[in-house]
Amino acid sequence: MNKFRTDLHEHLDAVWDGASIAVGGFGSSGRPDALINALSDLDKKDLHLYVNNVGDDFMGIGRLVMEGRVRRLTGSFPVLPEFYDEYFAGRVELELIPQGTLAERMRAGGAGIAAFFTPSGAETMLSDGTFPASYSGGTPGELLPAKEERVFDGRAHVLEYGIKADFGLVKAQQADPKGNLRFHLSARNFNPLAAMSGRTTFVEVERLVDTGSLDPDDIHLPGVFVDHVVMTAAPIPADLPRRAASLQKG
């Protein structure tokens, strides 16, 4: 089955408003900017994103946030200062979870594991029902629900659920037409997991190789987890002004 697509926007238009999307990338390494920016081009809105970090610029996830296209973000490192402007203003919700837990939730969802117990986050505000998922009028609104807790070997653990996103957006260094993927260095950290987590997964790739040219021992993710492969495009510049005066002066 040939999964290579020549028209990125035609196939990505299958993403509907309100969809949940698992996004790969570790910092700026392996970030699928071409796919993410295409969501803006297609005017997709009300999205729930599962992603390790927002980034520190207005490309990719940052662009979606600044354009008001994100309803909820589930992640570990939303470091972009302007993200918190949106969060505290009540325009985006935040589910903050430990990085390792996010990774395992994506992997579990892709592997068909419904839930698991982990000590990460136990006995903290991330699990006791006191962390504000949203703000309204400058004050905490909805709180993240308290998580089920059990003790194993004398240590508290909390119940976490596998992530099964509607879509996965991934960037790979190499792919063949069957969707077998190879990632480069730290880009491998979250991209395979996001691909597994998505019910329908799109991959932007830097290099398309012939079927059979990737050694089986050199494939980081088999094509069974991939639905569409497109050649990467130059990132679309996000012409969005920084709202912080100090950043504008810099």
Side-chain angles (χ1 to χ4, degrees):
M1 181 182 295
N2 190 340
K3 299 178 181 180
F4 178 66
R5 315 296 182 219
T6 57
D7 191 326
L8 182 158
H9 290 80
E10 175 187 356
H11 292 279
L12 198 62
D13 198 34
V15 176
W16 56 81
D17 290 344
S20 59
I21 306 175
V23 183
F26 191 69
S28 60
S29 177
R31 191 174 64 182
D33 280 343
L35 292 172
I36 299 169
N37 286 313
L39 295 176
S40 289
D41 296 341
L42 293 166
D43 196 29
K44 303 302 180 180
K45 302 180 292 293
D46 197 36
L47 303 174
H48 180 183
L49 303 183
Y50 297 96
V51 61
N52 180 47
N53 59 287
V54 174
D56 58 1
D57 55 29
F58 296 133
M59 297 301 296
I61 302 298
R63 179 181 179 185
L64 294 181
V65 170
M66 296 305 294
E67 291 182 353
R69 302 182 183 280
V70 179
R71 170 179 53 85
R72 186 181 183 94
L73 186 133
T74 298
S76 303
F77 294 99
V79 297
L80 184 69
E82 286 79 3
F83 170 83
Y84 290 96
D85 293 342
E86 302 299 301
Y87 171 54
F88 290 121
R91 290 189 287 267
V92 63
E93 300 172 0
L94 173 62
E95 180 186 7
L96 189 66
I97 59 177
Q99 181 175 249
T101 300
L102 175 64
E104 181 60 13
R105 285 184 63 189
M106 286 185 176
R107 190 203 67 83
I113 297 172
F116 59 92
F117 280 95
T118 175
S120 297
E123 300 180 323
T124 72
M125 66 187 303
L126 297 183
S127 61
D128 64 8
T130 61
F131 186 87
S134 65
Y135 276 77
S136 178
T139 59
E142 175 192 358
L143 302 177
L144 293 180
K147 298 176 181 179
E148 181 181 339
E149 183 176 303
R150 290 182 62 180
V151 176
F152 296 93
D153 297 325
R155 188 177 183 186
H157 290 61
V158 292
L159 181 66
E160 297 282 359
Y161 293 92
I163 293 172
K164 296 180 180 179
D166 297 319
F167 298 93
L169 301 185
V170 171
K171 183 175 182 179
Q173 184 187 51
Q174 297 181 54
D176 66 21
K178 291 187 176 181
N180 297 305
L181 306 181
R182 175 173 174 77
F183 303 94
H184 183 61
L185 299 177
S186 59
R188 190 176 175 185
N189 285 355
F190 271 91
N191 273 302
L193 306 174
M196 293 174 65
S197 176
R199 292 183 173 91
T200 300
T201 294
F202 295 84
V203 179
E204 64 174 86
V205 62
E206 297 174 3
R207 181 185 175 198
L208 187 68
V209 300
D210 293 333
T211 299
S213 64
L214 291 175
D215 187 277
D217 285 337
D218 210 27
I219 292 173
H220 296 153
L221 187 77
V224 67
F225 292 107
V226 173
D227 299 281
H228 306 283
V229 176
V230 297
M231 289 296 293
T232 188
I236 303 166
D239 187 18
L240 297 173
R242 290 184 179 270
R243 295 186 295 171
S246 60
L247 293 178
Q248 289 177 344
K249 292 177 182 179

